[in-house]
Amino acid sequence: MSDEESLLAVEREVALMFRRGRARVAELSRRVHPELEGMAYSMLGYIEQAGRVRVTDVGVHFAVGKATVSRQIRALEELGLVARETDPLDRRAALVSLTGDGRRRYLAARDVRMRRVRELLGNWSPEDVDRFAVLLHRFNDVIGEPPAE
């Protein structure tokens, strides 16, 4: 395979992975709560990992504007999945964290997702799984970099 053919194959496979990933995330969001939009599952995961995080940092992490993140957080709050509080270090900012119910629902959905990942990669050697994780991390680092001028 030529370098160009290899790059085209990578582009095709990454596009397919992204499309399938969006569908899976939407499904996982609905598993957490039937009224959740697709991005909500990922936001819950980020908040769960962070513990307590500023709303603005959630927006930065997902590269979405203030209005979008505020709408998403408000929806999560209305469903009782996250709690918002004033940041004691900056009274103008808000912190969000998972509620007990939000954590329980998120972890249950994550357990389903992880069972599926184990099934998908169950026939892979541990070395292949490690290498895949390293390469995906490297790829995600490159994707996150600003484009060259």
Side-chain angles (χ1 to χ4, degrees):
M1 196 179 304
S2 73
D3 288 350
E4 187 65 21
E5 289 170 328
S6 294
L7 290 173
L8 286 170
V10 167
E11 193 279 329
R12 267 193 317 274
E13 294 302 322
V14 167
L16 178 61
M17 184 175 62
F18 286 167
R19 283 194 308 274
R20 288 179 176 169
R22 277 192 299 273
R24 298 283 188 285
V25 167
E27 177 187 320
L28 287 165
S29 288
R30 288 188 300 276
R31 186 178 291 275
V32 171
H33 194 284
E35 296 176 32
L36 286 184
E37 293 181 24
M39 185 183 212
Y41 175 82
S42 297
M43 280 192 177
L44 289 171
Y46 177 69
I47 295 167
E48 195 274 334
Q49 184 179 15
R52 280 178 34 195
V53 63
R54 284 183 173 196
V55 172
T56 53
D57 291 339
V58 175
V60 168
H61 179 79
F62 289 98
V64 296
K66 187 177 180 179
T68 300
V69 74
S70 293
R71 181 178 55 80
Q72 290 280 347
I73 295 295
R74 191 175 327 105
L76 293 170
E77 194 175 17
E78 288 171 1
L79 294 171
L81 302 174
V82 300
R84 185 188 311 241
E85 62 185 283
T86 302
D87 184 342
L89 301 176
D90 181 352
R91 311 289 292 155
R92 299 166 297 171
L95 298 170
V96 290
S97 58
L98 296 184
T99 62
D101 188 42
R103 176 168 280 102
R104 182 185 59 76
R105 288 172 176 260
Y106 169 76
L107 293 176
R110 187 186 69 185
D111 287 347
V112 169
R113 177 183 57 127
M114 289 309 300
R115 275 196 303 274
R116 180 68 177 140
V117 170
R118 282 186 196 90
E119 289 171 11
L120 292 170
L121 301 179
N123 292 329
W124 291 30
S125 72
E127 295 80 18
D128 282 349
V129 174
D130 287 344
R131 183 74 179 139
F132 187 53
V134 166
L135 291 172
L136 280 174
H137 180 79
R138 185 172 158 194
F139 184 75
N140 280 322
D141 278 351
V142 171
I143 286 178
E145 292 175 1
E149 300 276 328

